Amino acid sequence: MAYFYFDFRDINKQNRRDLLPSLITQLSDQSNRHCDILNDLYFRHGSGAQKPSEDELIQCLKDMLTLPDQQPVYLVIDALDESPDTSGMPSPREQVLDLMKELVDLSSPNLRLCVTSRPEIDIRRALEPLTSLRVSLHEQSGQKQNIVDYVTSVVQSDAKMGRWRDEDKNLVIETLSEREDGM
């Protein structure tokens, strides 16, 4: 299993160039066969003297994922919506979405891919044709209640907000709860 969390606050966790080494390193740490693939890449690049290209990193990951006779490999890609959808061509997010398509297109019987994101339209358009199962927490009433409960607990427990009038606290809770889809 390998996991990557995109984070808009961390410049080193926003694009495909950050995702690839993280997944490759995690997988190679768990399997001698995966480690051998990474070692080959390392030695082909002067024992680490040169950086591999993104294409070489993608191929390294694909080689790991398509090894014959291996146990299922789980890749969890969390908060994909936090990868920037900037005006670059292609944007960092588009590059990650392209990678997800490439991984699905491998048709590796042992690959299990889980991608989480807010329901951004570009992400939905790219991933929906690739999925065998889709779960939306944004459409669940329990999720909405969890958000209301969380906002209420923060408002009630915050020392500065504790001095506010009850009407103002309720207004904050109602306003944020009505807009929970944007949280």
Side-chain angles (χ1 to χ4, degrees), residues 85-143:
D85 188 24
T86 57
S87 59
M89 292 305 283
S91 73
R93 186 186 297 175
E94 288 172 316
Q95 290 178 328
V96 173
L97 289 168
D98 288 345
L99 176 62
M100 296 300 105
K101 182 174 182 347
E102 286 183 52
L103 295 181
V104 169
D105 286 346
L106 289 173
S107 298
S108 174
N110 297 317
L111 176 60
R112 309 296 188 265
L113 190 58
C114 176
V115 180
T116 70
S117 173
R118 288 180 296 181
E120 302 289 331
I121 191 70
D122 61 318
I123 294 171
R124 289 179 67 174
R125 281 187 183 144
L127 294 182
E128 281 181 355
L130 307 176
T131 61
S132 59
L133 176 64
R134 178 169 99 53
V135 176
S136 175
L137 297 180
H138 293 277
E139 298 166 2
Q140 303 294 321
S141 60
Q143 178 71 6

Side-chain angles (χ1 to χ4, degrees), residues 27-112:
L27 291 174
S28 68
D29 190 43
Q30 299 170 43
S31 160
N32 289 336
R33 293 170 68 196
H34 291 158
C35 190
D36 291 343
I37 293 169
L38 179 58
N39 279 334
D40 288 345
L41 180 66
Y42 175 77
F43 289 120
R44 283 196 316 268
H45 289 83
S47 297
Q50 302 137 355
K51 259 185 161 176
S53 69
E54 273 190 54
D55 287 340
E56 290 169 313
L57 291 172
I58 290 169
Q59 189 57 54
C60 180
L61 179 61
K62 287 179 176 181
D63 291 346
M64 289 179 176
L65 297 175
T66 57
L67 282 171
D69 303 321
Q70 72 174 323
Q71 296 294 318
V73 176
Y74 295 86
L75 299 182
V76 179
I77 312 301
D78 194 12
L80 177 56
D81 56 287
E82 294 197 22
S83 179
D85 188 24
T86 57
S87 59
M89 292 305 283
S91 73
R93 186 186 297 175
E94 288 172 316
Q95 290 178 328
V96 173
L97 289 168
D98 288 345
L99 176 62
M100 296 300 105
K101 182 174 182 347
E102 286 183 52
L103 295 181
V104 169
D105 286 346
L106 289 173
S107 298
S108 174
N110 297 317
L111 176 60
R112 309 296 188 265

Side-chain angles (χ1 to χ4, degrees), residues 2-5 17-28:
Y3 174 88
F4 187 83
Y5 174 74
R17 184 68 187 192
D18 305 323
L19 168 73
L20 290 164
S22 177
L23 297 178
I24 290 168
T25 303
Q26 290 175 67
L27 291 174
S28 68

